Amino acid sequence: MGMTLLFLFIGLEIGLCVWTLAKQREKDVWTRNRLIVSGLQWGIIVLLLLLPVGNKGLRFAGCFLILSIRLLMDVIRFLLMRHKGEKALRGKVKSILAAVMGCILIAFSLIPSFIFTGYDGLETTGEYEVGMVSAILTDETRLESFETDGSHREVPIYVYYPEKRKSASEKVTDSNETKRMGKGLPEGEFPLILFSHGAFGYYQSNSSTYLELASHGYVVISMDHPYHSFFTKDTTGKTILVNPNFIQSAMYLGNAKDGEVPEEEIFETTRAWMELRIADASFVLDELERQIQLSKGMAEEEGSSLGNASDSQNGLGTAWYVKKKEDAQLLLQLLARIDEDKIGMMGHSLGGATSVTIGRLRSDIKAVIDLDGTMLGEELAYENGRYQYYEEAYPIPLLAINKQSHQESIEEYGTLYVNGMVLANAKEASYTYFQGSEHMDFTDLPLFSPFLASLLGKGSIDSKECIETTNGIVLQFFDHYLKGQGDFQIKEYY
């Protein structure tokens, strides 16, 4: 669509220039024709935005804004020209320059249409609809290491949860208040999955995975890791961008050739990353489980209201920041329905590494999935030219899904590579890989922006097929190990 608009709009610019030079060189006529072309371009972009053809706003909003401003300027110029009544000729150089500048302006305004697609999520296969509510948790035991103002570490969380599907009539009569109070929740308790994104990622990196799981009766919580996330927000509403030093060090290590960076330096750098992320995940899990117990106790009290606990004004603990009271009440409803004996964790890249180590360190995690992450948290030290690992076997079911080259590295180096060591010594480990895949193929980014994904690692595999198959494997794994449903079987590769 973006290429079609580019050729169409540039064609109009060139047509105006050729017509002016060949036939109508009067300045007042050019001004009228310029207004007609601008109006036609504006009308086309408005028509596109109004048509129900996918998610277009992000891709074409800039073009709409620029064409609107240009149309307004052309209207003013036309009115002024009519008022003056000038009949002078328009020079060739000015006509050509105007066409060139118009083409550049249009091309610039359409850049987002080439960077982003109309991706609007994948269709879920579960029986439930999916809702989402968010909060920010503040860890009063940790100062924010990326700041010098004495502020405490904040971890935003985004909760995806199942809702009963409603008929058309029920959707009309159901109020927002009823929905917020969790009246559409399915019966029973829900397993909980905690997700950790990769370096420069953010909470929506694998939104299709969260939605698929939630549609099958899971509560999925995706957390941001501030300053490791591409962007997030704090409790004041301030946007927190990824830390430049973190970007620099990650790119430095990622692009270094074998042996170029001393292993001691690599270990010290990655150890700091892992300590931050492991602390984030542990804090979130501790606070979730504390609040789950509190919410269940409140729900069991006869005549109690989940929105009127004395722990805070919203009924949630003091660590919780939620903008709206109805969101806090919904969270209380959800937390009271979580089965704390069925908690899994997963993540992509550094998030996968975080998940693996959390699964080792905590007895409350029952199953873990690592999406193409090097298991850096399993490295305890680097001494005498060798990495030191945990001696104890990995204790819980572990699934590793890798890109093809990553799997080849595991097979080549075996137990000399941390992933090979963990998988070989785990009590119950499964692994597979996707032929033709690269690192970002296990996220939604290639569907949202193939251009950005190609910069970070996109393979030749069909991106939609890869993430849909991955999501199916993830669901099957958690169904088996958390819900006790069905067998878990995977292929050697896909």
Side-chain angles (χ1 to χ4, degrees), residues 256-271:
K257 299 179 181 179
D258 289 343
E260 186 174 355
V261 182
E263 290 294 334
E264 293 87 347
E265 181 181 343
I266 295 175
F267 174 76
E268 291 299 326
T269 301
T270 58
R271 170 58 57 177

Side-chain angles (χ1 to χ4, degrees), residues 2-13 40-41 44 106:
M3 188 64 69
T4 301
L5 286 178
L6 179 64
F7 286 142
L8 178 59
F9 289 170
I10 286 180
L12 288 170
E13 295 292 327
L40 184 59
Q41 291 171 337
I44 291 172
I106 288 168

Side-chain angles (χ1 to χ4, degrees), residues 88-292:
L89 297 179
R90 182 168 179 82
K92 292 183 179 180
V93 174
K94 285 187 176 181
S95 297
I96 295 172
L97 284 177
V100 171
M101 292 303 297
C103 291
I104 293 175
L105 185 68
I106 288 168
F108 177 78
S109 71
L110 287 172
I111 285 177
S113 70
F114 298 107
I115 294 179
F116 305 105
T117 67
Y119 177 65
D120 197 24
L122 299 177
E123 185 175 351
T124 58
T125 64
E127 62 178 304
Y128 303 119
E129 295 181 354
V130 180
M132 197 273 281
V133 64
S134 63
I136 300 176
L137 304 182
T138 302
D139 187 351
E140 295 290 345
T141 67
R142 288 189 295 158
L143 292 178
E144 178 53 74
S145 59
F146 290 93
E147 298 290 351
T148 59
D149 58 1
S151 58
H152 291 95
R153 179 73 173 170
E154 296 181 356
V155 184
I157 63 170
Y158 301 84
V159 185
Y160 296 79
Y161 61 92
E163 290 182 323
K164 292 187 292 186
R165 294 190 184 276
K166 302 180 179 66
S167 65
S169 59
E170 287 176 322
K171 289 180 179 179
V172 171
T173 59
D174 196 16
S175 67
N176 289 333
E177 178 67 16
T178 300
K179 182 178 179 182
R180 288 291 188 182
M181 289 301 294
K183 300 302 184 183
L185 297 178
E187 298 297 324
E189 290 191 317
F190 315 124
L192 172 67
I193 308 296
L194 183 64
F195 186 93
S196 172
H197 63 71
F200 325 140
Y202 77 128
Y203 80 93
Q204 285 186 311
S205 67
N206 286 67
S207 58
S208 69
T209 310
Y210 322 146
L211 294 170
E212 178 67 4
L213 287 168
S215 77
H216 284 269
Y218 291 85
V219 170
V220 183
I221 296 181
S222 177
M223 60 180 171
D224 269 335
H225 297 280
Y227 301 96
H228 280 200
S229 303
F230 186 63
F231 69 91
T232 188
K233 289 184 179 293
D234 63 13
T235 51
T236 68
K238 175 184 175 183
T239 298
I240 306 297
L241 300 177
V242 61
N243 180 262
N245 291 332
F246 173 64
I247 295 179
Q248 184 178 9
S249 59
M251 297 299 290
Y252 171 61
L253 296 184
N255 295 326
K257 299 179 181 179
D258 289 343
E260 186 174 355
V261 182
E263 290 294 334
E264 293 87 347
E265 181 181 343
I266 295 175
F267 174 76
E268 291 299 326
T269 301
T270 58
R271 170 58 57 177
W273 298 346
M274 294 308 301
E275 287 177 350
L276 177 74
R277 286 168 163 264
I278 290 169
D280 284 349
S282 290
F283 161 65
V284 169
L285 286 166
D286 286 342
E287 186 56 37
L288 283 171
E289 291 174 3
R290 188 197 72 82
Q291 191 63 55
I292 288 170

